[in-house]
Amino acid sequence: MAGAGRMSDKLAEFTAFRQRMNERILAEDNQVVRRFFALDTQTYKAGALDVKTKEMLGLVASMVLRCDDCINYHVAQCKEAGVQRDEFFEVFSVGLVVGGSIVIPHLRRAVDSLDKLEGGESATAECADHG
């Protein structure tokens, strides 16, 4: 269980870092950065597609781009949006087929994050790329 403690410490550190740096970045007078962060936030709100669908799309894209921070973030967001385990594995299969075998290590980490969330552990690392 020592590994689980390190993982949650690492996630807490990352979340704190992300929040601190997002605040620092958004404090700068740069409209491009501010608009991009706002666009990202708006993108995942319900519209013609619901939040659940958008988060599943974000998870597939994150897997194909091989960003573990983003994958963990979207696994947590998907879980919060009500994605069920069988749906996760369909999402994982799309990411794997689109991204190819290079996605397999990221698939392993995604399933590990899902297992932790289902086990009640906090695996809510947030993607640094999401404002």
Side-chain angles (χ1 to χ4, degrees):
M1 281 297 180
R6 277 186 297 221
M7 176 69 157
S8 62
D9 289 347
K10 190 174 178 182
L11 291 172
E13 282 178 31
F14 179 79
T15 299
F17 173 77
R18 175 195 177 270
Q19 183 176 353
R20 184 177 76 248
M21 292 311 300
N22 282 355
E23 289 171 5
R24 171 70 183 93
I25 290 165
L26 291 171
E28 293 294 321
D29 187 23
N30 186 298
Q31 288 303 311
V32 173
V33 171
R34 288 180 184 174
R35 287 179 179 153
F36 185 86
F37 275 55
L39 178 63
D40 180 78
T41 299
Q42 292 299 313
T43 297
Y44 287 93
K45 289 187 176 181
L49 298 175
D50 61 14
V51 170
K52 180 178 172 182
T53 301
K54 288 182 174 188
E55 288 299 338
M56 290 187 293
L57 291 168
L59 179 53
V60 167
S62 297
M63 290 180 73
V64 172
L65 293 170
R66 301 184 312 271
C67 176
D68 286 332
D69 289 343
C70 297
I71 291 167
N72 289 335
Y73 174 80
H74 287 292
V75 165
Q77 294 301 109
C78 282
K79 189 74 177 155
E80 189 175 307
V83 175
Q84 301 298 309
R85 191 170 186 88
D86 59 340
E87 294 173 309
F88 270 106
F89 275 84
E90 288 193 19
V91 170
F92 295 156
S93 68
V94 172
L96 183 59
V97 167
V98 172
S101 63
I102 197 165
V103 171
I104 291 172
H106 304 278
L107 172 61
R108 290 182 189 121
R109 289 187 284 275
V111 172
D112 184 54
S113 290
L114 177 59
D115 288 346
K116 285 181 171 83
L117 283 172
E118 290 179 340
E121 291 184 44
S122 175
T124 57
E126 298 181 20
C127 174
D129 296 328
H130 291 282

